[in-house]
């Protein structure tokens, strides 16, 4: 009698197996195929919104671009054309007027306010005339040699005739001599040397101050203080053109070593001023 074999158990299904372990297994997705190489002739289309504005250039860029395209020649012509002929003429007239006014002011300052000339006494000579021939006492004449230096660079000072000069004794104030100032021999333009001739005057009481008589008679070298005052007319010149005349006053304090023919000047101090 044939032996009966027990039937082999059927394999459990996958669902049963997955259920037994808790959750069903998800199927694995297939990998995509590798990308194929595209040819250079392929076309790409990029879509951009029509109403989207990324940036607006400032208006100055248009002006700069226009100047760059115009070039330097047109830029200069445009800048020069911005000045109208009326404006150019007005500016030129103003500049010319300012130049004329400045020149007039400078001329007025130079002519109306010239620098004061400097004076110095560089010589003094005494001549004694004995009494007689109608004069009751001796007369003493003084020749004073003056030098005037013009400090002005643009103008010349011309000394005219008619100036007056006086010589007094400083201590007593007695008038010793007086005279006139003649026109200098060199024309009187820059450094001017001229002589002032002073004639002795009759003294009050018939006698000069004791210090003056002693210096004249004894020919001593004692110091005698004198004061020389001169007034002269000066005309301001620029080249050959003569302008206003000024009245000049000069005051010199002179100390002489004696009074004789050639007097030594021990010290001196001169000041000058315009009267008008």
């Amino acid at each position: 009698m044939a032996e009966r074999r027990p039937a082999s158990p059927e394999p459990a299904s996958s669902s049963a197996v997955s259920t037994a372990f808790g959750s069903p297994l998800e199927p694995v997705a297939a990998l995509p195929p590798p990308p194929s190489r595209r040819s250079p002739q392929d076309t790409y289309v990029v879509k951009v919104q029509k109403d989207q504005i990324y940036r607006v250039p400032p208006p100055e860029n248009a002006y700069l671009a226009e100047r760059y395209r115009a070039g330097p020649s047109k830029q200069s012509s445009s800048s020069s054309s911005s000045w109208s002929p009326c404006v150019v003429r007005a500016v030129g007239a103003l500049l010319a007027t300012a130049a004329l006014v400045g020149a007039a002011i400078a001329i007025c300052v130079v002519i109306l306010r010239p620098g004061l000339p400097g004076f110095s006494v560089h010589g003094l000579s005494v001549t004694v005339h004995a009494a007689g021939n109608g004069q009751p006492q001796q007369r003493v004449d003084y020749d004073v040699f003056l030098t005037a230096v013009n400090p002005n660079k643009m103008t010349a000072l011309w000394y005219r005739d008619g100036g007056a000069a006086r010589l007094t004794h400083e201590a007593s104030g007695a008038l010793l001599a007086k005279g006139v100032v003649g026109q200098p021999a060199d024309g009187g333009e820059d450094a001017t040397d001229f002589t002032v001739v002073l004639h002795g005057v009759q003294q009050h009481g018939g006698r000069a101050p004791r210090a003056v008589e002693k210096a004249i008679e004894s020919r001593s070298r004692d110091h005698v203080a004198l004061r020389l005052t001169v007034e002269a007319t000066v005309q301001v010149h620029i080249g050959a053109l003569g302008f206003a005349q000024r009245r000049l006053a000069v005051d010199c304090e002179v100390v002489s070593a004696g009074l004789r023919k050639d007097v030594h000047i021990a010290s001196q101090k001169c000041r000058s001023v315009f009267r008008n």
Side-chain angles (χ1 to χ4, degrees), residues 67-90:
R67 289 188 59 183
Y68 181 76
R69 285 196 296 268
S73 60
K74 291 186 178 180
Q75 292 178 21
S76 60
S77 62
S78 63
S79 62
S80 61
S81 62
S82 62
W83 292 79
S84 63
C86 295
V87 175
V88 173
R89 286 195 293 269

Side-chain angles (χ1 to χ4, degrees), residues 14-250:
S14 61
S15 60
V17 174
S18 62
T19 304
F21 286 91
S23 61
L25 299 177
E26 295 180 359
V28 179
L31 296 174
S36 61
R37 294 187 178 180
R38 296 181 176 87
S39 61
Q41 291 80 13
D42 292 342
T43 303
Y44 297 89
V45 178
V46 178
K47 294 182 179 181
V48 180
Q49 298 180 5
K50 294 181 179 181
D51 57 349
Q52 186 173 2
I53 301 175
Y54 289 93
R55 183 175 180 273
V56 176
E60 292 82 1
N61 288 7
Y63 175 72
L64 296 176
E66 183 66 24
R67 289 188 59 183
Y68 181 76
R69 285 196 296 268
S73 60
K74 291 186 178 180
Q75 292 178 21
S76 60
S77 62
S78 63
S79 62
S80 61
S81 62
S82 62
W83 292 79
S84 63
C86 295
V87 175
V88 173
R89 286 195 293 269
V91 172
L94 289 177
L95 293 177
T97 304
L100 291 176
V101 171
I105 293 175
I107 292 175
C108 290
V109 170
V110 171
I111 294 175
L112 299 180
R113 300 186 62 182
L116 287 169
F119 282 82
S120 62
V121 179
H122 63 83
L124 176 61
S125 178
V126 178
T127 303
V128 180
H129 302 277
N133 297 329
Q135 60 181 16
Q137 60 182 359
Q138 68 177 9
R139 192 188 74 205
V140 181
D141 293 340
Y142 302 84
D143 294 337
V144 182
F145 303 96
L146 291 176
T147 299
V149 179
N150 178 21
N152 304 286
K153 301 300 182 182
M154 298 179 59
T155 58
L157 300 178
W158 288 14
Y159 297 88
R160 301 302 182 189
D161 293 332
R166 295 165 60 92
L167 184 67
T168 59
H169 183 233
E170 182 70 17
S172 64
L175 177 62
L176 301 179
K178 61 182 179 179
V180 295
V181 181
Q183 185 176 4
D186 59 359
E189 294 185 1
D190 292 320
T192 306
D193 294 332
F194 50 92
T195 303
V196 180
V197 179
L198 303 169
H199 300 289
V201 298
Q202 186 176 0
Q203 299 297 318
H204 179 70
R207 297 181 64 90
R210 178 58 184 164
V212 176
E213 286 186 347
K214 181 180 178 181
I216 294 175
E217 294 174 357
S218 64
R219 297 183 178 272
S220 66
R221 297 182 64 87
D222 294 340
H223 287 182
V224 180
L226 305 174
R227 178 179 290 272
L228 174 68
T229 57
V230 178
E231 288 190 3
T233 301
V234 179
Q235 186 176 26
V236 181
H237 274 251
I238 298 180
L241 299 177
F243 294 92
Q245 294 186 359
R246 307 292 300 273
R247 195 68 179 172
L248 180 66
V250 182

